[in-house]
Each structure stands twice: as C-alpha cells, then as structure tokens.
Amino acid sequence: MNLEIRDLRMRFGGNQVLKGVSLVVGSAEICGLIGPNGAGKTTLTNVLAGAYRPTGGAILLDGARIDAQPAYVIAGQGIARTFQIPRPFGRLTVRENLLVPAVAGPGTARGAALEERIRDTLRMLKLEHLASEYARSLSGGQKKLLELGRLLMLDADLMILDEPFAGVHPALQETMIEFIRTLHEQQRSFLIISHEMPVIFALATRMIVLADGQVIADGEPAVVREQPEVIEAYLGVAEDA
Amino acid sequence: MTGWTGLRSPATRTALALGALGVLAATAPFFLLTSSYDLDVAHQALYMAGLCASWAFLAGIAGQVSFAHVALGGIAGYASAIWMRDLPDAAGGLPVALLVGVLATTLVGAALGALLLRLQTVYLSLFTLAFAEIVTLVIVSESELTGGRATLQVTALGGDALDHYYILLVALAFILACIYWIIRSPLGLCLKSMREDAESAAAMSVNIVRLKVAVFVISSFFVGVIAALYFHTGNRISPDQLDLSIMALVVAAAVIGGMDSPLAAALSAVLSIFLLELLRELTLQDAAWWLAVAVLVLVFLFAAWQVVRRARGTDREGLKIVGINVGGGLLLVLGLGALGRGATAIDAIACGLVLGGVWLLVQARRRGGGRSSLGRLSGWAAAAAVAFAAAGALFVQGALTIEVGVWRYAIFGLILALTVRFASNGLLQPALERLSGRHAEFSRQFEAQRDTRDDAEATR
C-alpha cells in the first residue's frame, strides 16, 4: 500500500482549508497527524476517505488516482476511517455493526469463517459481552472501539483514525493502543489525528504537523518535537525557555 | 415438558403465530367476511396492508421516508387499465396488462430512486410528496388518456369477490415473504446501515448509490403487484383513489404497527381499515365524544403499563452514579430511567444543578456508569430525551418539561385519532371538532388576557 497526496487543496466558499498538502504514507507506518484546531486535519481525513471531493491536487493509491472516487469505492480499496464523533449504526447490534463492512466490502469470508472473524475482533477489542447490544447503548469509548473493529472487518490497509483517544478512559486507551500495535505488526498503516500528545508521540513512528492548511513538519516524532516552527505553531514554548 | 420447552424458542413461537395468522386469514371468509360488503372491505384492507408492508420496508428498514406509495399504486392501476382499454386484443390479455402495470410502477420507482440520490431526510420526503401530487395532476389533466376526474373503466379479474380475496392474500403473503427474505440477507443489513447513517455506511464500503435505487425499485415492484391486482378486483379507478389522505393512513398505520416490522405494519393496516368501517356505522354524537375520550385514556393507560412492564423486567444491578449534588436549582431530574437493550443506563436519579456552577460527574464504575446517558437526558433537546428515556420526569425551573415514556404513546394515539378523523369523516370527527372548538376558546381567552395585561402595562 502506498498513498501519495500531491498538492491537495480544499476550499469551502471563501475559506481555503487545505493549501497544497503533499505527503506519502507507505506500508506499516503509524503516522500521527497533529496541529492546532482549524488546521485542516479533519478536512484532510474527509478528502482522503472520499467524503469531500478536493478542489485541487491529487490522491494516488498505488499509483492510481482515487480523488474522484466516492467514499464506498475508496473504502473498498482499503482506505477506511473512523469519525471524530463515533458514528456506529445505532439500531444495529455490535455484531451486526461488524458484519456490515464484512458483507459490503471486498472480503469473501462467509458463514462459519466470518463468525470466527467477528468473534476474534470482539475478543481483541474486549467487547465480546456486548455482541448482542445495540450500538446506541454503548458508552462513548466503547463506540470508538467498535469503529476500530469495523475497520478491521473491512480489512483496510490504511486506517485513518480521527481523535480515537479523546475523552476515552485510560483503560480503553490501552486496549486501542494494543489493537493498533497488533495490526501494525500485520503491516497495516495508520494515520491518527490526535491532541493527546503523550499517547500519539509514544505510538507514532512518524509525525506530520499541519498548520493553516499546510504541512509544516514531517518526520520522526523526536525530531519533529524539537522543530521551532512546530513549537511555535502548536506545542508552545516551555516556561523556562 | 419437552413441548413446553419447545414453545419457548422464539423461532417456534414465530412459526406458530405466523401459522395461526395464515389460518385465520385463509378461513376468515367462512365466519368473519360473510357478505360481499365484508369482502370488499377486506380487499381494501389487503391492498393497504401491501402498501404498508412495502412502505415500512422502504422507510422503516431502509430509512427512505417517501410519500409516493399511493401514487405509485395508482400508476400500476392506470397503466394496466389503459392497456386493457386500448389494446383489448393484445396477446396475453389481463395477465399481460397486470404485468404492464407492475413494470410501469417499477420503472417509475427506479427513476424516482435515481432522482432522489442526492436528497436526504425531509428533502427527500418533500420531493416524493410533490411527485405524488404531480402524478394526480397529470392523471386529471390528461383526460383523453386517463379519463380525467371521471372514473376509468377497469376490466375485473376473473372469478368472484372470494377469489379476489384469496388472490390479494397470496400477493400480500408473497410481498411479505420477499421483504423478510431481503431483510435477513446481506442486502437487508446494508439497507439498515444506510438507514442509520448513510455517510458512515459509505465509509464501510456500502454502495449507497446502488442501494438507494435498488430499494425504490424493490418497494415500487411490491406496490405495483398489490395495486395492479387490487384495482382489477373492482371495475373502476379514479384520481380519488390516489388521494394524499390515503397515504397519510398508510403512514399512520405503519407507524402505529411498527415501522421496523413490515408484518406489524401490514397487520396494523388491516385492523385500521376494519376499525374505520366499524366506526363509520356509529352516529351518536355524544357517544362518539365519550368513546374518543375513552380511546385516548386507554392509550395513556397502555403507555403507563408499558413503562411499568419495562421497568420491572430490567436488570438493575451495578448501576451507580455518585457525586451529584442535590440542591435547589434550575434543573431537576426526577426518577429518570433510561433503558438500553436489557440494561438500565440510569436508574431513578433525583438531582438538581445550580445555574453557573461547575459540576464534576463521577461514577463508581469505570465505564458504562451512565454519565453520557444522563447528559443526553438532561440536555435541553426534549425530543431526543423523549425518544431515549423510558420513564420519569424532567423539570426545568419547576415546570414539567418532559414526562417521558408517556408522550411516545400519546403521540401514537394522536396520530391514530387524526388519521381516523381525516380518513373517514366518521366517529371521531365531532369529537375532534369539539376539541378544536375548545382550543379556539382557550386561545381567545389567552389573547384577551394578554391584551388586558398589555393595556395595563401601557397605562402604567
């Protein structure tokens, strides 16, 4: 899997939100995407997932342009996302929520093999006891876990996670981190938007900083953390500096 | 003992209930529907049941709330009637004409689905409402083809009224069987995901475009089947049979029966049609008034009973919220209970919050303690709270804002009452007129009081 974003631009009326974003996400990367509010992180997510059509630039997946494709086609090609505010299918059970991407996506598992996969996913996310509950009755953190499970059932190569750790209990955060690391070992990639600095810096193998619709830093977390423009735009200056 | 254990299985109970329903429907002409008038009403009831089942499939399962169903049914009736009138010697005769009706409705349904691709929620509904009116207008204005406002002669199906009853019954059974087969298939699951959240479904690789067209095609096909047959059980069709009040009855019956259950919607339609016929025969004004009141009281009692029944059957373990201060304030939540599926999220909380304070809400359990649930209930979105909560009351500044649990059923009762009022001009009309008269009287009193108060303030 190789996702290349070239000079991506997105405008809403007179508001230019993305001003020429270019970056490449390869296999088995955990990219942290950080930036101040209004930097364009969620817009970038929406454009990548096909929810918005960009007003300029190109997105290429393994060399083929996908920026004009609808969301369901992009999801079928292996780029899947979660939402900043979780949006599971409320009046479907947890199990049915996991079943939807499995039957709609490119996966071919059916019958007993599919049930086994659902059980494995539920076990991984520690949601087995809630399999028959309606998704709307889950807590906010559990809904975020369920969204992660749906990505796994879709068999996505690149998982775009929008604020997965926000407002989540530390124990659930641990489950999420474990989940991400396990899938990373299976050569899957992640693009994770987060404001939880300690968590994202510990988890990411690469950090991208977006400010005012542009990439201002891209590299190893330890290096990015020290860059003056990142400190100025987002992390802030230490009191003793 | 084994037999009793077997009966406890949901599958067995469902099979038995469906079997009993089938036997009742098949044998009804021998003890319930004994006159040609009864059978005529039964034809109408089965037609409405088909429309309701198909509408519940479209709106309740797939989330596409359309008001075009009756108009689509009219297209089937007119298409087959015109075919038989203009091509009486065409090969195939009436069966081909019926197929033409079904095909016309299905094609129009496909076009409608394609037109509606970019529309959602209320905009989609408004478009279908306009579409229904346009269909009626076209039928009325194209009088050379359709007969205009006058009735168009229809070639009746062979056999007598009893045969027609069984034909419609088989058609309804076919429609319901197809609907439930789809609901239980992967397609049904994807339809439900589209109903819940189209954008989220698309992010899960659900092909929303194809699905939306498909569901309109399928439901239009069902409408075509039942409508083409129904209109040929009589010998005439007219624009009156496409009236929006009939669509309102379809919606109300489906809502009361249960939009997520096409079978319940169909049963509700059958009961509504027979109930309307029964009510039509009663003419005593005062008796009608008191009967209407009694119906509404029963609806409220049913609501209260539902709340108690649900509360009793609920798991009450391990649900604790601590740390909420009890004190006088602007928001008072009394005895609110919010139910998840088989679990109580909030169990009988009483609390008050003072305006301007900052409150820390903690709970004994790590998660699932009910913090978010309480937030949703004590937020100011009354409609959402009504939809979510099961029982209790929410007071704001001492005034009762929501008495949850009851309104949900009261609204259903109101829909039923309004439906009966608009569909039949029968029993409930005098009662509702009296109600609206009282409402007008209250409004006049209120206006008078306000004018007096305004005058006094102006003088001061």
Side-chain angles (χ1 to χ4, degrees), chain B residues 218-434:
Chain B
I218 295 167
S219 67
S220 302
F221 169 76
F222 294 146
V223 171
V225 169
I226 198 77
L229 289 170
Y230 170 69
F231 286 117
H232 285 274
T233 60
N235 54 13
R236 64 173 202 94
I237 183 171
S238 71
D240 295 345
Q241 288 164 293
L242 278 61
D243 196 87
L244 275 176
S245 65
I246 300 171
M247 189 63 230
L249 185 60
V250 170
V251 173
V255 168
I256 293 166
M259 279 174 66
D260 289 1
S261 164
L263 177 62
L267 286 175
S268 172
V270 170
L271 292 174
S272 298
I273 294 296
F274 279 101
L275 185 66
L276 288 175
E277 287 304 312
L278 284 174
L279 294 179
R280 204 189 291 277
E281 292 170 7
L282 294 174
T283 53
L284 284 175
Q285 301 270 315
D286 285 334
W289 160 248
W290 287 112
L291 194 59
V293 171
V295 167
L296 285 175
V297 168
L298 281 174
V299 167
F300 274 87
L301 286 177
F302 175 71
W305 175 73
Q306 285 288 315
V307 170
V308 170
R309 190 178 65 83
R310 288 186 70 180
R312 272 185 193 158
T314 301
D315 171 19
R316 289 166 174 271
E317 287 177 10
L319 297 155
K320 299 280 187 292
I321 296 186
V322 296
I324 303 173
N325 191 18
V326 178
L330 285 178
L331 175 64
L332 183 64
V333 185
L334 285 180
L336 268 177
L339 300 171
R341 196 185 186 201
T344 306
I346 297 174
D347 190 8
I349 296 168
C351 66
L353 304 178
V354 181
L355 185 68
V358 177
W359 297 89
L360 181 65
L361 189 57
V362 295
Q363 59 192 24
R365 294 207 310 174
R366 198 171 63 201
R367 61 174 184 266
R371 285 171 300 189
S372 301
S373 304
L374 182 66
R376 285 166 69 182
L377 286 171
S378 57
W380 305 103
V386 171
F388 183 68
L394 181 66
F395 289 81
V396 177
Q397 287 185 308
L400 180 64
T401 303
I402 306 166
E403 196 172 344
V404 285
V406 175
W407 283 112
R408 202 183 315 190
Y409 298 98
I411 289 165
F412 286 174
L414 193 62
I415 291 169
L416 176 65
L418 289 172
T419 306
V420 171
R421 153 73 178 82
F422 286 115
S424 72
N425 287 337
L427 174 70
L428 287 179
Q429 184 173 351
L432 286 166
E433 277 173 358
R434 192 175 292 194

Side-chain angles (χ1 to χ4, degrees), chain A residues 51 71-72 75-76 83 87 89-93 96 99-101 104-105 132-134 142 150-151 154 169 171-172, chain B residues 60 186 189-190 192-193 195-197 199-209 260 340-341 366-368 372 376 388:
Chain A
Y72 65 86
F83 294 89
R87 288 163 70 171
F89 308 123
R91 283 193 292 159
L92 299 190
T93 65
E96 286 170 334
L99 209 48
V100 169
S132 302
E133 292 291 326
Y134 281 130
Q142 288 165 341
R150 297 199 309 186
L151 301 192
L154 191 56
H169 190 276
L172 287 190
Chain B
L189 191 64
C190 291
K192 287 181 193 171
S193 74
R195 169 194 71 194
E196 293 299 302
D197 187 333
E199 194 184 341
S200 180
M204 291 296 105
S205 196
V206 175
N207 187 338
I208 295 298
V209 175
D260 289 1
R341 196 185 186 201
R366 198 171 63 201
R367 61 174 184 266
S372 301
R376 285 166 69 182
F388 183 68

Side-chain angles (χ1 to χ4, degrees), chain B residues 21 23 101 107-108 114 128 142 153 180 210 288 317 320 456:
Chain B
L21 265 178
V23 170
L107 288 175
V108 173
T128 58
E142 294 296 324
Q153 289 299 311
Y180 276 94
R210 202 166 61 189
E317 287 177 10
K320 299 280 187 292

